[in-house]
């Protein structure tokens, strides 16, 4: 089944309610300017040709925030898997193999993975993760997250609904300066919330990253703009 690009909330609702109840649905949330989304969009389109019994829906998370908020999308790329009208799994990040496995399971095909009770796939043949390995895996994940978009904001809540005043102010600054940015709601993932403090050696949130490099929190960004009002205008985030 080909990928259907959602045009608005009504289109999404009409499409999801008109499909046969037994049809599995996978939804890809993306933005056109985040490099990892470009890769995963291609993978998503390829998989749509392989699993024709699954409905593949594509949603621009930035253009349709009302749909994104319905599914608590906190970062892109982000995938939601629905079966019999219920969300059975969610997947965040740019991992083609994990996406393929998730869709294979959704379609009812055999898989080498099982779920660990939280909806996150875990290889059935793997031994329990050791602490050192878990820390290494978390650092690798954090490295991918801070580079998920040219400008990444790790905040409490979402840009549409910040959960602290500092996050709200920093979102406002970015919008005032017309900066396109990705975001991650650290309240949704305690491992990221705690791990990023050590990873960046920065104990508080929000945290702003540019091309994977920490710029600082609200006070530092304010100081930077006070010294250089054109900081964001001169920022090259395409390199």
């Amino acid at each position: 089944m080909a990928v259907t690009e959602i045009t608005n909330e009504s289109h999404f609702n009409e499409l999801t309610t008109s499909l046969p109840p037994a049809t599995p649905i996978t939804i890809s949330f993306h933005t056109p300017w985040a490099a990892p989304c470009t890769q995963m969009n291609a993978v998503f389109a390829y998989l749509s040709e392989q699993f024709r019994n699954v409905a593949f829906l594509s949603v621009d998370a930035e253009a349709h925030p009302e749909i994104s908020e319905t599914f608590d999308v906190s970062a892109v790329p982000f995938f939601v898997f629905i079966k019999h009208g219920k969300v059975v799994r969610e997947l965040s990040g740019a991992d083609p193999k994990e996406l393929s496995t998730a869709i294979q399971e959704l379609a009812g095909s055999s898989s080498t993975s099982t779920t660990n009770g939280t909806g996150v796939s875990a290889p059935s043949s793997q031994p329990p993760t050791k602490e050192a390995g878990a820390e290494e895996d978390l650092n690798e994940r954090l490295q991918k997250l801070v580079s998920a978009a040219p400008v990444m904001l790790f905040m409490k809540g979402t840009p549409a609904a910040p959960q602290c005043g500092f996050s709200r102010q920093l979102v406002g600054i970015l919008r005032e300066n017309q900066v396109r940015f990705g975001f991650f709601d650290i309240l949704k993932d305690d491992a990221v919330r705690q791990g990023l403090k050590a990873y960046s050696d920065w104990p508080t949130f929000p945290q702003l990253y540019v091309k994977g490099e920490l710029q600082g929190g609200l006070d530092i960004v304010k100081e930077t703009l006070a010294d250089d009002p054109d900081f964001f205008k001169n920022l090259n985030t395409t390199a």
Side-chain angles (χ1 to χ4, degrees):
M1 193 177 292
V3 176
T4 300
E5 188 68 39
I6 298 301
T7 56
N8 53 51
E9 187 177 15
S10 295
H11 179 215
F12 177 81
N13 292 335
E14 290 170 6
L15 190 58
T16 51
T17 55
S18 65
L19 287 168
T23 302
I25 302 171
T26 178
I27 310 170
S28 168
F29 288 91
H30 59 88
T31 60
W33 44 268
C37 291
T38 302
Q39 175 198 11
M40 295 306 289
N41 286 347
V43 174
F44 195 67
Y46 171 78
L47 291 171
S48 73
E49 298 299 324
Q50 309 304 310
F51 298 94
R52 296 183 178 273
N53 65 320
V54 177
F56 287 75
L57 310 184
S58 178
V59 178
D60 184 328
E62 191 175 63
H64 306 297
E66 67 284 356
I67 304 176
S68 301
E69 290 174 16
T70 298
F71 292 95
D72 291 328
V73 177
S74 60
V76 291
F78 187 82
F79 303 91
V80 176
F81 307 91
I82 300 173
K83 204 163 190 176
H84 301 299
K86 296 182 179 180
V87 175
V88 295
R89 183 174 176 184
E90 296 173 343
L91 179 63
S92 178
D95 189 328
K97 185 176 180 180
E98 193 169 6
L99 176 61
S100 178
T101 298
I103 292 177
Q104 194 175 44
E105 292 177 351
L106 184 71
S109 302
S110 61
S111 172
T112 58
S113 297
T114 58
T115 58
N116 62 10
T118 62
V120 180
S121 116
S124 57
S125 60
Q126 294 274 347
T129 305
K130 295 183 179 179
E131 186 175 347
E135 183 177 352
E136 184 177 341
D137 289 344
L138 177 59
N139 284 335
E140 183 178 348
R141 184 185 176 206
L142 293 174
Q143 186 175 11
K144 290 179 179 179
L145 282 174
V146 300
S147 303
V151 178
M152 277 293 295
L153 176 63
F154 291 81
M155 61 179 293
K156 295 180 179 180
T158 68
Q163 296 300 306
C164 78
F166 298 118
S167 293
R168 182 178 295 106
Q169 288 185 60
L170 194 41
V171 167
I173 289 172
L174 292 171
R175 286 178 169 168
E176 286 171 10
N177 287 274
Q178 299 181 328
V179 178
R180 296 189 117 185
F181 63 96
F183 71 92
F184 190 97
D185 181 359
I186 52 95
L187 297 179
K188 298 290 186 182
D189 193 321
D190 195 56
V192 171
R193 181 179 182 178
Q194 299 303 327
L196 202 58
K197 294 177 183 180
Y199 178 87
S200 62
D201 195 21
W202 196 269
T204 60
F205 292 95
Q207 294 182 13
L208 186 69
Y209 290 76
V210 175
K211 292 188 284 188
E213 296 293 330
L214 176 67
Q215 302 301 303
L218 176 62
D219 289 343
I220 297 298
V221 171
K222 283 183 173 180
E223 290 175 8
T224 299
L225 286 174
D227 293 336
D228 179 10
D230 294 327
F231 173 74
F232 285 119
K233 292 180 182 178
N234 297 330
L235 201 60
N236 178 13
T237 58
T238 59

